[in-house]
mmCIF file of all heavy atoms in Angstrom:
data_model
loop_
_atom_site.group_PDB
_atom_site.id
_atom_site.type_symbol
_atom_site.label_atom_id
_atom_site.label_comp_id
_atom_site.label_asym_id
_atom_site.label_seq_id
_atom_site.Cartn_x
_atom_site.Cartn_y
_atom_site.Cartn_z
ATOM 1 N N PHE F 65 0.843 -1.217 0.133
ATOM 2 C CA PHE F 65 -0.056 -0.020 -0.028
ATOM 3 C C PHE F 65 0.850 1.205 0.012
ATOM 4 O O PHE F 65 1.783 1.335 0.811
ATOM 5 C CB PHE F 65 -0.920 -0.013 1.225
ATOM 6 C CG PHE F 65 -1.926 -1.105 1.202
ATOM 7 C CD1 PHE F 65 -1.610 -2.365 1.848
ATOM 8 C CD2 PHE F 65 -3.145 -0.862 0.583
ATOM 9 C CE1 PHE F 65 -2.584 -3.358 1.732
ATOM 10 C CE2 PHE F 65 -4.104 -1.911 0.567
ATOM 11 C CZ PHE F 65 -3.793 -3.278 1.231
ATOM 12 N N GLU F 66 0.448 2.145 -0.845
ATOM 13 C CA GLU F 66 1.197 3.503 -0.917
ATOM 14 C C GLU F 66 0.142 4.670 -0.926
ATOM 15 O O GLU F 66 -0.728 4.619 -1.718
ATOM 16 C CB GLU F 66 2.019 3.495 -2.154
ATOM 17 C CG GLU F 66 2.815 4.763 -2.314
ATOM 18 C CD GLU F 66 3.574 4.924 -3.618
ATOM 19 O OE1 GLU F 66 3.900 3.853 -4.187
ATOM 20 O OE2 GLU F 66 3.790 6.053 -4.136
ATOM 21 N N LEU F 67 0.336 5.530 0.033
ATOM 22 C CA LEU F 67 -0.491 6.777 0.162
ATOM 23 C C LEU F 67 0.210 7.958 -0.364
ATOM 24 O O LEU F 67 1.277 8.255 0.133
ATOM 25 C CB LEU F 67 -0.992 6.883 1.605
ATOM 26 C CG LEU F 67 -1.698 5.727 2.249
ATOM 27 C CD1 LEU F 67 -1.911 6.044 3.770
ATOM 28 C CD2 LEU F 67 -2.894 5.572 1.511
ATOM 29 N N THR F 68 -0.346 8.633 -1.374
ATOM 30 C CA THR F 68 0.233 9.833 -1.782
ATOM 31 C C THR F 68 -0.907 10.850 -1.937
ATOM 32 O O THR F 68 -1.772 10.764 -2.774
ATOM 33 C CB THR F 68 0.878 9.634 -3.231
ATOM 34 O OG1 THR F 68 1.743 8.489 -3.140
ATOM 35 C CG2 THR F 68 1.639 10.856 -3.712
ATOM 36 N N GLY F 69 -0.862 11.909 -1.170
ATOM 37 C CA GLY F 69 -1.938 12.817 -1.294
ATOM 38 C C GLY F 69 -3.306 12.237 -1.018
ATOM 39 O O GLY F 69 -3.589 11.708 0.067
ATOM 40 N N LEU F 70 -4.170 12.436 -1.977
ATOM 41 C CA LEU F 70 -5.542 11.804 -1.897
ATOM 42 C C LEU F 70 -5.509 10.359 -2.554
ATOM 43 O O LEU F 70 -6.634 9.877 -2.665
ATOM 44 C CB LEU F 70 -6.519 12.756 -2.567
ATOM 45 C CG LEU F 70 -6.679 14.087 -1.984
ATOM 46 C CD1 LEU F 70 -7.590 15.002 -2.734
ATOM 47 C CD2 LEU F 70 -7.263 13.905 -0.509
ATOM 48 N N SER F 71 -4.522 9.835 -2.931
ATOM 49 C CA SER F 71 -4.417 8.498 -3.617
ATOM 50 C C SER F 71 -3.990 7.399 -2.779
ATOM 51 O O SER F 71 -3.175 7.502 -2.019
ATOM 52 C CB SER F 71 -3.498 8.647 -4.876
ATOM 53 O OG SER F 71 -4.036 9.573 -5.862
ATOM 54 N N LEU F 72 -4.643 6.191 -3.023
ATOM 55 C CA LEU F 72 -4.293 4.960 -2.393
ATOM 56 C C LEU F 72 -3.856 4.036 -3.546
ATOM 57 O O LEU F 72 -4.699 3.779 -4.472
ATOM 58 C CB LEU F 72 -5.355 4.390 -1.643
ATOM 59 C CG LEU F 72 -5.308 2.982 -1.130
ATOM 60 C CD1 LEU F 72 -4.105 2.802 -0.098
ATOM 61 C CD2 LEU F 72 -6.630 2.456 -0.600
ATOM 62 N N LYS F 73 -2.680 3.595 -3.608
ATOM 63 C CA LYS F 73 -2.100 2.655 -4.578
ATOM 64 C C LYS F 73 -1.998 1.302 -3.939
ATOM 65 O O LYS F 73 -1.296 1.255 -2.886
ATOM 66 C CB LYS F 73 -0.881 3.202 -5.119
ATOM 67 C CG LYS F 73 -0.196 2.318 -6.215
ATOM 68 C CD LYS F 73 1.126 2.955 -6.701
ATOM 69 C CE LYS F 73 1.822 1.995 -7.727
ATOM 70 N NZ LYS F 73 3.090 2.840 -8.193
ATOM 71 N N ILE F 74 -2.519 0.204 -4.575
ATOM 72 C CA ILE F 74 -2.327 -1.107 -4.069
ATOM 73 C C ILE F 74 -1.590 -1.843 -5.154
ATOM 74 O O ILE F 74 -1.986 -1.954 -6.300
ATOM 75 C CB ILE F 74 -3.660 -1.772 -3.901
ATOM 76 C CG1 ILE F 74 -4.547 -0.887 -2.910
ATOM 77 C CG2 ILE F 74 -3.470 -3.200 -3.337
ATOM 78 C CD1 ILE F 74 -5.997 -1.501 -2.857
ATOM 79 N N THR F 75 -0.396 -2.405 -4.849
ATOM 80 C CA THR F 75 0.464 -3.140 -5.637
ATOM 81 C C THR F 75 0.126 -4.642 -5.553
ATOM 82 O O THR F 75 -0.034 -5.128 -4.356
ATOM 83 C CB THR F 75 1.921 -2.944 -5.444
ATOM 84 O OG1 THR F 75 2.201 -1.505 -5.487
ATOM 85 C CG2 THR F 75 2.777 -3.643 -6.421
ATOM 86 N N ASN F 76 0.167 -5.333 -6.601
ATOM 87 C CA ASN F 76 -0.160 -6.813 -6.536
ATOM 88 C C ASN F 76 -1.397 -7.018 -5.783
ATOM 89 O O ASN F 76 -1.517 -7.755 -4.714
ATOM 90 C CB ASN F 76 0.974 -7.607 -5.934
ATOM 91 C CG ASN F 76 0.779 -9.154 -6.103
ATOM 92 O OD1 ASN F 76 0.116 -9.556 -7.011
ATOM 93 N ND2 ASN F 76 1.557 -9.802 -5.233
ATOM 94 N N VAL F 77 -2.605 -6.660 -6.314
ATOM 95 C CA VAL F 77 -3.897 -6.653 -5.676
ATOM 96 C C VAL F 77 -4.216 -8.171 -5.468
ATOM 97 O O VAL F 77 -4.028 -9.081 -6.284
ATOM 98 C CB VAL F 77 -4.944 -6.091 -6.647
ATOM 99 C CG1 VAL F 77 -6.393 -6.377 -6.137
ATOM 100 C CG2 VAL F 77 -4.804 -4.569 -6.753
ATOM 101 N N GLN F 78 -4.717 -8.504 -4.217
ATOM 102 C CA GLN F 78 -5.098 -9.806 -3.839
ATOM 103 C C GLN F 78 -6.518 -9.864 -3.607
ATOM 104 O O GLN F 78 -7.259 -8.924 -3.432
ATOM 105 C CB GLN F 78 -4.375 -10.205 -2.553
ATOM 106 C CG GLN F 78 -2.868 -10.081 -2.577
ATOM 107 C CD GLN F 78 -2.348 -11.052 -3.653
ATOM 108 O OE1 GLN F 78 -2.583 -12.260 -3.528
ATOM 109 N NE2 GLN F 78 -1.515 -10.592 -4.654
ATOM 110 N N LEU F 79 -7.146 -11.071 -3.636
ATOM 111 C CA LEU F 79 -8.539 -11.236 -3.398
ATOM 112 C C LEU F 79 -8.965 -10.649 -2.064
ATOM 113 O O LEU F 79 -10.090 -10.069 -2.029
ATOM 114 C CB LEU F 79 -8.929 -12.705 -3.476
ATOM 115 C CG LEU F 79 -8.863 -13.371 -4.848
ATOM 116 C CD1 LEU F 79 -9.218 -14.775 -4.727
ATOM 117 C CD2 LEU F 79 -9.879 -12.720 -5.878
ATOM 118 N N ASN F 80 -8.245 -10.701 -1.055
ATOM 119 C CA ASN F 80 -8.614 -10.146 0.223
ATOM 120 C C ASN F 80 -8.481 -8.729 0.360
ATOM 121 O O ASN F 80 -8.799 -8.060 1.348
ATOM 122 C CB ASN F 80 -7.863 -10.819 1.423
ATOM 123 C CG ASN F 80 -6.346 -10.624 1.397
ATOM 124 O OD1 ASN F 80 -5.866 -10.018 0.488
ATOM 125 N ND2 ASN F 80 -5.651 -11.012 2.448
ATOM 126 N N ASP F 81 -8.108 -8.009 -0.766
ATOM 127 C CA ASP F 81 -8.039 -6.532 -0.811
ATOM 128 C C ASP F 81 -9.451 -5.982 -1.184
ATOM 129 O O ASP F 81 -9.784 -4.807 -1.049
ATOM 130 C CB ASP F 81 -7.045 -6.027 -1.880
ATOM 131 C CG ASP F 81 -5.651 -6.327 -1.482
ATOM 132 O OD1 ASP F 81 -5.396 -6.325 -0.197
ATOM 133 O OD2 ASP F 81 -4.708 -6.514 -2.318
ATOM 134 N N ALA F 82 -10.314 -6.941 -1.681
ATOM 135 C CA ALA F 82 -11.704 -6.526 -2.016
ATOM 136 C C ALA F 82 -12.432 -6.003 -0.842
ATOM 137 O O ALA F 82 -12.226 -6.470 0.260
ATOM 138 C CB ALA F 82 -12.415 -7.744 -2.556
ATOM 139 N N GLY F 83 -13.193 -5.041 -0.914
ATOM 140 C CA GLY F 83 -14.028 -4.422 0.147
ATOM 141 C C GLY F 83 -14.178 -2.969 -0.045
ATOM 142 O O GLY F 83 -13.826 -2.384 -1.093
ATOM 143 N N THR F 84 -14.663 -2.344 1.013
ATOM 144 C CA THR F 84 -14.870 -0.917 0.939
ATOM 145 C C THR F 84 -13.904 -0.234 1.761
ATOM 146 O O THR F 84 -13.463 -0.600 2.841
ATOM 147 C CB THR F 84 -16.341 -0.637 1.590
ATOM 148 O OG1 THR F 84 -17.321 -1.223 0.831
ATOM 149 C CG2 THR F 84 -16.627 0.807 1.571
ATOM 150 N N TYR F 85 -13.295 0.879 1.190
ATOM 151 C CA TYR F 85 -12.325 1.755 1.764
ATOM 152 C C TYR F 85 -12.912 3.095 2.019
ATOM 153 O O TYR F 85 -13.706 3.552 1.264
ATOM 154 C CB TYR F 85 -11.111 1.815 0.795
ATOM 155 C CG TYR F 85 -10.421 0.448 0.634
ATOM 156 C CD1 TYR F 85 -10.851 -0.476 -0.213
ATOM 157 C CD2 TYR F 85 -9.224 0.199 1.467
ATOM 158 C CE1 TYR F 85 -10.211 -1.743 -0.223
ATOM 159 C CE2 TYR F 85 -8.517 -1.009 1.286
ATOM 160 C CZ TYR F 85 -9.048 -1.906 0.390
ATOM 161 O OH TYR F 85 -8.416 -3.168 0.383
ATOM 162 N N GLU F 86 -12.519 3.705 3.135
ATOM 163 C CA GLU F 86 -13.023 5.044 3.586
ATOM 164 C C GLU F 86 -11.889 5.963 3.547
ATOM 165 O O GLU F 86 -10.813 5.747 4.051
ATOM 166 C CB GLU F 86 -13.471 4.926 4.963
ATOM 167 C CG GLU F 86 -14.101 6.209 5.466
ATOM 168 C CD GLU F 86 -14.414 6.157 6.884
ATOM 169 O OE1 GLU F 86 -14.330 5.068 7.610
ATOM 170 O OE2 GLU F 86 -14.914 7.173 7.472
ATOM 171 N N CYS F 87 -12.010 7.012 2.781
ATOM 172 C CA CYS F 87 -11.062 8.199 2.736
ATOM 173 C C CYS F 87 -11.765 9.113 3.567
ATOM 174 O O CYS F 87 -12.802 9.781 3.353
ATOM 175 C CB CYS F 87 -11.041 8.668 1.238
ATOM 176 S SG CYS F 87 -10.122 10.143 1.096
ATOM 177 N N ARG F 88 -11.101 9.454 4.766
ATOM 178 C CA ARG F 88 -11.695 10.139 5.852
ATOM 179 C C ARG F 88 -11.022 11.592 5.982
ATOM 180 O O ARG F 88 -9.874 11.635 6.317
ATOM 181 C CB ARG F 88 -11.591 9.448 7.083
ATOM 182 C CG ARG F 88 -12.382 10.124 8.308
ATOM 183 C CD ARG F 88 -12.189 9.324 9.584
ATOM 184 N NE ARG F 88 -12.682 7.973 9.445
ATOM 185 C CZ ARG F 88 -12.661 7.080 10.415
ATOM 186 N NH1 ARG F 88 -12.030 7.336 11.542
ATOM 187 N NH2 ARG F 88 -13.205 5.883 10.393
ATOM 188 N N GLY F 89 -11.722 12.600 5.754
ATOM 189 C CA GLY F 89 -11.252 13.903 6.077
ATOM 190 C C GLY F 89 -11.894 14.501 7.427
ATOM 191 O O GLY F 89 -12.384 13.631 8.136
ATOM 192 N N VAL F 90 -11.718 15.695 7.667
ATOM 193 C CA VAL F 90 -12.169 16.265 8.926
ATOM 194 C C VAL F 90 -13.727 16.287 8.968
ATOM 195 O O VAL F 90 -14.226 15.845 10.040
ATOM 196 C CB VAL F 90 -11.516 17.795 9.166
ATOM 197 C CG1 VAL F 90 -12.157 18.359 10.356
ATOM 198 C CG2 VAL F 90 -9.986 17.698 9.177
ATOM 199 N N SER F 91 -14.426 16.623 7.984
ATOM 200 C CA SER F 91 -15.756 16.710 8.056
ATOM 201 C C SER F 91 -16.479 16.046 6.904
ATOM 202 O O SER F 91 -17.789 16.028 6.948
ATOM 203 C CB SER F 91 -16.210 18.251 8.058
ATOM 204 O OG SER F 91 -15.837 18.826 6.829
ATOM 205 N N LYS F 92 -15.699 15.466 6.038
ATOM 206 C CA LYS F 92 -16.325 14.705 4.931
ATOM 207 C C LYS F 92 -15.592 13.386 4.709
ATOM 208 O O LYS F 92 -14.434 13.203 4.990
ATOM 209 C CB LYS F 92 -16.287 15.513 3.543
ATOM 210 C CG LYS F 92 -17.168 16.738 3.751
ATOM 211 C CD LYS F 92 -17.102 17.542 2.411
ATOM 212 C CE LYS F 92 -17.947 18.803 2.560
ATOM 213 N NZ LYS F 92 -17.993 19.649 1.357
ATOM 214 N N ARG F 93 -16.331 12.329 4.086
ATOM 215 C CA ARG F 93 -15.783 11.142 3.909
ATOM 216 C C ARG F 93 -16.216 10.603 2.466
ATOM 217 O O ARG F 93 -17.301 10.963 2.023
ATOM 218 C CB ARG F 93 -16.234 10.051 4.961
ATOM 219 C CG ARG F 93 -15.759 10.474 6.233
ATOM 220 C CD ARG F 93 -16.282 9.419 7.290
ATOM 221 N NE ARG F 93 -15.797 9.966 8.601
ATOM 222 C CZ ARG F 93 -16.089 9.393 9.799
ATOM 223 N NH1 ARG F 93 -16.966 8.347 9.738
ATOM 224 N NH2 ARG F 93 -15.719 9.901 10.888
ATOM 225 N N ARG F 94 -15.436 9.746 1.856
ATOM 226 C CA ARG F 94 -15.814 9.149 0.648
ATOM 227 C C ARG F 94 -15.535 7.689 0.808
ATOM 228 O O ARG F 94 -14.517 7.404 1.431
ATOM 229 C CB ARG F 94 -15.015 9.613 -0.612
ATOM 230 C CG ARG F 94 -15.206 8.797 -1.797
ATOM 231 C CD ARG F 94 -14.816 9.384 -3.064
ATOM 232 N NE ARG F 94 -15.981 10.116 -3.601
ATOM 233 C CZ ARG F 94 -15.782 10.981 -4.503
ATOM 234 N NH1 ARG F 94 -14.641 11.352 -4.984
ATOM 235 N NH2 ARG F 94 -16.901 11.589 -4.961
ATOM 236 N N TYR F 95 -16.362 6.883 0.318
ATOM 237 C CA TYR F 95 -16.221 5.401 0.365
ATOM 238 C C TYR F 95 -15.960 4.843 -1.179
ATOM 239 O O TYR F 95 -16.646 5.255 -2.072
ATOM 240 C CB TYR F 95 -17.495 4.807 0.914
ATOM 241 C CG TYR F 95 -17.730 5.185 2.390
ATOM 242 C CD1 TYR F 95 -18.403 6.343 2.756
ATOM 243 C CD2 TYR F 95 -17.140 4.507 3.303
ATOM 244 C CE1 TYR F 95 -18.538 6.795 3.972
ATOM 245 C CE2 TYR F 95 -17.280 4.905 4.807
ATOM 246 C CZ TYR F 95 -18.032 5.972 5.047
ATOM 247 O OH TYR F 95 -18.147 6.395 6.310
ATOM 248 N N LEU F 96 -15.058 4.069 -1.162
ATOM 249 C CA LEU F 96 -14.693 3.299 -2.500
ATOM 250 C C LEU F 96 -14.742 1.811 -2.349
ATOM 251 O O LEU F 96 -14.076 1.347 -1.415
ATOM 252 C CB LEU F 96 -13.348 3.796 -2.907
ATOM 253 C CG LEU F 96 -13.210 5.171 -3.236
ATOM 254 C CD1 LEU F 96 -12.220 5.927 -2.228
ATOM 255 C CD2 LEU F 96 -12.883 5.498 -4.631
ATOM 256 N N THR F 97 -15.566 1.163 -3.050
ATOM 257 C CA THR F 97 -15.729 -0.308 -2.852
ATOM 258 C C THR F 97 -14.976 -0.903 -4.079
ATOM 259 O O THR F 97 -15.137 -0.577 -5.221
ATOM 260 C CB THR F 97 -17.121 -0.743 -3.015
ATOM 261 O OG1 THR F 97 -17.817 -0.070 -1.924
ATOM 262 C CG2 THR F 97 -17.266 -2.239 -2.869
ATOM 263 N N ILE F 98 -13.969 -1.803 -3.750
ATOM 264 C CA ILE F 98 -13.065 -2.462 -4.660
ATOM 265 C C ILE F 98 -13.529 -3.896 -4.851
ATOM 266 O O ILE F 98 -13.630 -4.520 -3.821
ATOM 267 C CB ILE F 98 -11.636 -2.274 -4.250
ATOM 268 C CG1 ILE F 98 -11.202 -0.818 -4.212
ATOM 269 C CG2 ILE F 98 -10.755 -3.119 -5.210
ATOM 270 C CD1 ILE F 98 -9.771 -0.559 -3.798
ATOM 271 N N TYR F 99 -13.785 -4.224 -6.105
ATOM 272 C CA TYR F 99 -14.104 -5.576 -6.380
ATOM 273 C C TYR F 99 -12.887 -6.132 -7.050
ATOM 274 O O TYR F 99 -12.282 -5.467 -7.879
ATOM 275 C CB TYR F 99 -15.391 -5.696 -7.336
ATOM 276 C CG TYR F 99 -16.547 -5.171 -6.685
ATOM 277 C CD1 TYR F 99 -17.026 -3.887 -6.939
ATOM 278 C CD2 TYR F 99 -17.371 -6.043 -5.930
ATOM 279 C CE1 TYR F 99 -18.273 -3.411 -6.314
ATOM 280 C CE2 TYR F 99 -18.572 -5.527 -5.407
ATOM 281 C CZ TYR F 99 -18.985 -4.242 -5.584
ATOM 282 O OH TYR F 99 -20.125 -3.770 -4.985
ATOM 283 N N VAL F 100 -12.555 -7.403 -6.862
ATOM 284 C CA VAL F 100 -11.305 -7.959 -7.297
ATOM 285 C C VAL F 100 -11.721 -9.333 -8.123
ATOM 286 O O VAL F 100 -12.371 -10.145 -7.593
ATOM 287 C CB VAL F 100 -10.304 -8.416 -6.264
ATOM 288 C CG1 VAL F 100 -9.141 -9.082 -6.870
ATOM 289 C CG2 VAL F 100 -9.863 -7.102 -5.486
ATOM 290 N N ASN F 101 -11.328 -9.289 -9.395
ATOM 291 C CA ASN F 101 -11.649 -10.397 -10.296
ATOM 292 C C ASN F 101 -10.467 -11.394 -10.097
ATOM 293 O O ASN F 101 -9.267 -11.139 -10.108
ATOM 294 C CB ASN F 101 -11.640 -10.006 -11.703
ATOM 295 C CG ASN F 101 -12.742 -9.153 -12.139
ATOM 296 O OD1 ASN F 101 -13.907 -9.338 -11.666
ATOM 297 N ND2 ASN F 101 -12.488 -8.107 -12.958
ATOM 298 N N ASP F 102 -10.963 -12.682 -9.901
ATOM 299 C CA ASP F 102 -9.995 -13.832 -9.738
ATOM 300 C C ASP F 102 -9.503 -14.164 -11.223
ATOM 301 O O ASP F 102 -10.463 -14.764 -11.955
ATOM 302 C CB ASP F 102 -10.640 -14.953 -8.937
ATOM 303 C CG ASP F 102 -9.606 -16.084 -8.783
ATOM 304 O OD1 ASP F 102 -8.419 -16.059 -9.032
ATOM 305 O OD2 ASP F 102 -10.128 -17.200 -8.311
ATOM 306 N N VAL F 103 -8.331 -14.005 -11.575
ATOM 307 C CA VAL F 103 -7.905 -14.269 -13.013
ATOM 308 C C VAL F 103 -7.056 -15.504 -12.985
ATOM 309 O O VAL F 103 -6.560 -16.056 -12.000
ATOM 310 C CB VAL F 103 -7.163 -13.178 -13.508
ATOM 311 C CG1 VAL F 103 -8.105 -11.954 -13.818
ATOM 312 C CG2 VAL F 103 -5.990 -12.677 -12.652
#
């Protein structure tokens, strides 16, 4: 995992990385749900 500013970079994505991530600021939040395809 690498955090740069407002970005979250995941290297070598794994199945257990699937799920919802919260980007939390002082008074606002954004949720990002990541689905992972098993290839």
Side-chain angles (χ1 to χ4, degrees):
F65 295 91
E66 180 183 334
L67 301 173
T68 308
L70 295 172
S71 297
L72 169 64
K73 179 179 178 181
I74 306 172
T75 304
N76 190 22
V77 172
Q78 302 297 305
L79 290 175
N80 64 354
D81 294 329
T84 301
Y85 293 80
E86 176 185 5
C87 171
R88 186 183 297 176
V90 175
S91 63
K92 295 182 181 177
R93 298 175 182 176
R94 168 168 269 162
Y95 295 89
L96 297 116
T97 302
I98 297 177
Y99 297 95
V100 179
N101 293 320
D102 183 11
V103 291

